[in-house]
């Protein structure tokens, strides 16, 4: 390979890190991909009526500024603590449009999987703006190990997190799955693509290779949980929005496929079988409408990722 197009050094570094992690891709991803704010930007309190509330945490040095600028938006959030199939408790901050108990029946609901290095409360200002502009419900959840969610941030926990959050919205809040739109930003595109692919495979009648759930190609009942694998089930959601998505975990530190003479020695190629959040594989199973948004000047996740997924 020509000078500047060889990525053997990067691949060697990833190999050393993988060995240090005991050859566990989950542990490697946990140490490299997830960077939750420490301390979290918010704390949970219990109101006199017994409901949980979120406030910007005084222990955070930015709390006074955050409370001044965005405290009112955070105060509007309802808080749910949802148990996942892996035993963690995930914190969900919900912005509901209207006060009626049936607010989730007729309106669209965005479920946000946020980007790295922030937690749900830090996303609330933008979520509030989106909720107002679209007249839609917006729910932002924290991955295991982020914010006030329990556990440690790991790939498989992230997948279980979004499964539990969607299930909570349908079974407890009464959301119509067909009105749910999953919004995944940056690293959040991983769990978002996981769920959309899970729903797509389930909607096509996939379970252990042969267990139809729809007839004559018709859309399955969206209110019915569709079995996608022996351990997970999904609802037939209405749509997906991917903002600055990643092709996969290792693709972030690799050039675009075929983009250089040394592409075969990139971490994404060398460790393809060990890669995580393989969104490039997941998108092929999507059945719902999908919007991909990616800035051409993005210097964190190259625009080629969004183009590739599209």
């Amino acid at each position: 390979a020509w000078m500047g197009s060889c990525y053997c050094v990067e691949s060697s570094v990833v190999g050393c890190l993988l060995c240090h992690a005991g050859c566990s891709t989950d542990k490697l991803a946990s140490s490299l991909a997830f960077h939750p704010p420490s301390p979290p930007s918010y704390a949970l309190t219990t109101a006199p009526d017994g409901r949980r509330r979120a406030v910007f945490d005084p222990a955070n040095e930015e709390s006074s500024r955050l409370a001044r600028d965005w405290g009112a938006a955070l105060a509007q959030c309802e808080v749910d603590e949802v148990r996942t199939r892996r035993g963690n408790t995930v914190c969900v901050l919900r912005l509901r449009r209207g006060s009626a108990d049936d607010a989730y029946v007729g309106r669209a609901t965005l479920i946000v999987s946020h980007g790295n290095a922030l937690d749900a409360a830090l996303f609330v200002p933008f979520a509030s703006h989106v909720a107002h502009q679209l007249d839609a419900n917006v729910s932002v959840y924290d991955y295991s190990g982020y914010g006030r969610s329990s556990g440690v941030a790991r790939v498989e926990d992230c997948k279980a997190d979004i499964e539990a959050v969607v299930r909570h919205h349908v079974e407890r809040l009464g959301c119509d799955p067909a009105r749910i739109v999953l919004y995944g930003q940056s690293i959040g595109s991983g769990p978002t693509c996981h769920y959309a692919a899970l729903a797509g495979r389930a909607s096509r009648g996939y379970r252990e290779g042969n267990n139809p759930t729809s007839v004559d190609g018709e859309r399955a009942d969206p209110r019915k949980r569709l079995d996608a694998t022996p351990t997970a089930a999904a609802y037939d959601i209405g749509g997906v929005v991917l903002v600055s998505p990643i092709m996969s975990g290792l693709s972030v530190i690799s050039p675009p496929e075929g983009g250089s003479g040394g592409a075969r020695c990139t971490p994404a190629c060398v460790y393809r079988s060990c890669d995580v959040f393989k969104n490039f594989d997941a998108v092929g199973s999507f059945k719902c409408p999908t919007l991909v948004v990616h800035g051409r000047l993005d210097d964190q996740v190259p625009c080629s990722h969004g183009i590739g997924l599209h």
Side-chain angles (χ1 to χ4, degrees):
W2 292 99
M3 183 68 68
S5 62
C6 178
Y7 292 83
C8 294
V9 173
E10 288 85 345
S11 294
S12 297
V13 171
V14 172
C16 291
L17 293 173
L18 183 60
C19 290
H20 182 70
C23 294
S24 168
T25 56
D26 200 38
K27 289 182 179 179
L28 178 64
S30 180
S31 63
L32 295 181
F34 301 115
H35 304 284
S38 182
S41 70
Y42 68 104
L44 297 180
T45 64
T46 303
D49 61 3
R51 296 184 181 182
R52 299 285 271 168
R53 293 295 179 188
V55 296
F56 285 111
D57 193 347
N60 190 303
E61 60 183 15
E62 293 288 319
S63 64
S64 59
R65 180 185 63 81
L66 292 170
R68 181 186 69 246
D69 295 343
W70 303 111
L74 187 59
Q76 295 174 1
C77 292
E78 297 174 90
V79 178
D80 294 329
E81 293 172 283
V82 180
R83 192 79 167 172
T84 77
R85 60 179 169 82
R86 289 174 64 88
N88 293 328
T89 299
V90 172
C91 183
V92 184
L93 305 183
R94 295 188 288 110
L95 287 164
R96 179 175 61 176
R97 297 294 290 174
S99 57
D101 291 336
D102 61 353
Y104 282 97
V105 176
R107 281 189 174 88
T109 297
L110 271 69
I111 296 180
V112 176
S113 299
H114 59 69
N116 213 343
L118 75 157
D119 55 34
L122 294 176
F123 196 92
V124 162
F126 181 68
S128 179
H129 175 73
V130 171
H132 176 74
Q133 291 293 318
L134 301 182
D135 192 28
N137 305 305
V138 179
S139 296
V140 190
Y141 72 97
D142 267 325
Y143 316 121
S144 296
Y146 276 68
R148 296 301 169 180
S149 295
S150 67
V152 177
R154 296 191 186 281
V155 173
E156 292 306 314
D157 283 307
C158 282
K159 295 176 181 179
D161 296 342
I162 194 170
E163 292 166 20
V165 170
V166 175
R167 183 174 67 250
H168 175 76
H169 278 73
V170 176
E171 298 179 5
R172 294 296 181 90
L173 302 178
C175 287
D176 178 356
R179 301 283 289 169
I180 290 178
V181 176
L182 302 183
Y183 177 109
Q185 180 178 353
S186 187
I187 193 72
S189 62
T192 297
C193 287
H194 160 73
Y195 195 94
L198 198 66
R201 291 193 297 268
S203 184
R204 289 185 175 90
Y206 173 90
R207 181 173 182 173
E208 296 181 286
N210 184 23
N211 185 24
T213 53
S214 60
V215 180
D216 298 330
E218 294 294 323
R219 180 184 176 95
D221 180 359
R223 290 190 177 277
K224 181 180 179 182
R225 286 181 70 197
L226 305 175
D227 295 323
T229 72
T231 58
Y235 285 97
D236 203 4
I237 54 172
V240 167
V241 176
L242 300 176
V243 180
S244 300
I246 61 173
M247 291 276 286
S248 72
L250 290 178
S251 292
V252 177
I253 55 175
S254 302
E257 288 276 343
S260 72
R264 290 183 180 179
C265 65
T266 64
C269 291
V270 175
Y271 301 104
R272 187 180 182 91
S273 63
C274 301
D275 207 350
V276 296
F277 289 142
K278 298 179 183 180
N279 295 341
F280 59 83
D281 280 342
V283 293
S285 297
F286 286 17
K287 187 179 179 183
C288 59
T290 302
L291 171 66
V292 180
V293 182
H294 211 130
R296 292 189 180 276
L297 300 182
D298 192 330
D299 60 359
Q300 299 297 315
V301 180
C303 185
S304 57
H305 287 244
I307 293 173
L309 291 178
H310 181 268

